[in-house]
Amino acid sequence: MTRLFGDAYVSVSDPYLRRAIELAELGRGCTAPNPVVGCVLVRDGSIVGEGWHERAGGPHAEAAALTAAGTSARGATAYVTLEPCSHTGRTGPCADALVSAGVSRVVIGLPDPSPVASGGAEVLRRAGVEVEFAADPAPFAALNEEWLCRVASGRPFVRVKVALTLDGRPALAHGVRSALTGQSARDLTMRLRREADAILVGASTVAVDDPALTARDADGSLAPHQPRRYVLTRTEQPSAESRMFHDGAGPVGVLVPDSLRLESALGAAGARCVPWDASAGLREAFRALGDDDVVSLLVEPGPRLFSALIASSLIDELIVLHAGGLAGEEAPPLYVGESQDDPSTLQRDFRAVGAGIVGSDAVTVWRARRVVSE
């Protein structure tokens, strides 16, 4: 997640496209299953309207900018991070709205690859609107990499966060919740949660940690945006007494193999059953999340779930928080999967893309070397 360190959009030199990206970021975590989009309307060298997609079902970025501009939109240039949509969903086609408002030119950051909504550029051209695409689409693809992953694969972009001691241990003892990192690292975790559509843990993590999985502000209060919460199960389902089912911070989805049924006590506690085909492997659980409109998923796994994610090649980005202490040989390992065949040379499945210091802890960001081709 290059947004943690440095500027992911440094190559965008056009100030209006740059502003459109800044606006799009305001919707992060709130627009699933839609992308984040920003739009700026410029006339005679001045911004006359701007907007972003704030939430799914609400006005798209172009519509918000047109509303802000009013009659000043006529003859203006629209700068938009993603090709305006050409279909009617919960809102009308943005391409048609731009034409009706009299916009004369549209500059687009990234073509829309989705089969349902693409084609807006052609609609604009047929109506006599000048259309131009950014010379470099990469920054705009980075803006919506989670959404692009879901469009291409049917599953959400999987971002995994783990905290480790210096000797690579996720806890100090088996079956015991351990506080490893300091407040700054925990603040970073809260940021990751706020930016995610959903957060997932395994049933064993619920049993050991009894986590809330909420996003909280610095004062401990619930953040305005809360990620949807999910618990992944294979055989053992979480206790209905777990606090996440009773804290009032939103419903909890329990991913249950379709050969089983959600336990009645969980249903009574308000849990929502999300079935998945366990016979087809863990990847199907994540496709079930994609079908549940999850675009950006944060996973905070224990060793078993982490190892299963590695075995299934399901980690797109790995964020490791490093605490400055040692746990010792009795502490559990993070990875409990199979060893690689060749013990002489490490098989390097991830590449480092970022690193920094948060308080007294360190953080590294890794990306999978594989190419998503699902």
Side-chain angles (χ1 to χ4, degrees), residues 173-196:
H174 289 275
V176 177
R177 180 175 184 173
S178 303
L180 301 182
T181 56
Q183 184 59 50
S184 295
R186 289 192 286 273
D187 290 343
L188 178 58
T189 296
M190 291 300 111
R191 173 185 164 184
L192 294 172
R193 290 182 180 182
R194 286 193 299 269
E195 292 183 352

Side-chain angles (χ1 to χ4, degrees), residues 17 38 62 77-85 95 98 105-112 119-122 124-125 130-137 140:
L17 281 176
E62 298 92 328
T77 296
Y79 294 82
V80 61
T81 55
L82 183 69
E83 182 181 2
C85 64
L98 291 167
R105 177 170 172 256
V106 178
V107 181
I108 300 169
L110 182 74
D112 191 329
E122 184 57 31
L124 292 166
R125 288 191 177 108
E130 180 184 350
V131 175
E132 177 185 337
F133 283 91
D136 181 12
F140 305 94

Side-chain angles (χ1 to χ4, degrees), residues 177-222:
R177 180 175 184 173
S178 303
L180 301 182
T181 56
Q183 184 59 50
S184 295
R186 289 192 286 273
D187 290 343
L188 178 58
T189 296
M190 291 300 111
R191 173 185 164 184
L192 294 172
R193 290 182 180 182
R194 286 193 299 269
E195 292 183 352
D197 298 323
I199 181 170
L200 172 78
V201 296
S204 57
T205 292
V206 177
V208 173
D209 293 350
D210 192 18
L213 303 183
T214 52
R216 297 179 294 279
D217 290 332
D219 61 1
S221 61
L222 291 177

Side-chain angles (χ1 to χ4, degrees), residues 218-281:
D219 61 1
S221 61
L222 291 177
H225 166 66
Q226 290 297 316
R228 284 181 280 162
R229 300 175 290 179
Y230 292 87
V231 180
L232 176 67
T233 70
R234 284 184 178 271
T235 55
E236 184 176 338
Q237 297 184 25
S239 168
E241 299 303 313
S242 302
R243 62 173 170 165
M244 68 174 67
F245 298 111
H246 306 280
D247 60 9
V252 179
V254 180
L255 285 150
V256 180
D258 55 14
S259 59
L260 303 175
R261 300 180 66 179
L262 183 71
E263 292 180 359
S264 58
L266 286 169
R272 184 170 62 90
C273 182
V274 181
W276 64 286
D277 182 6
S279 66

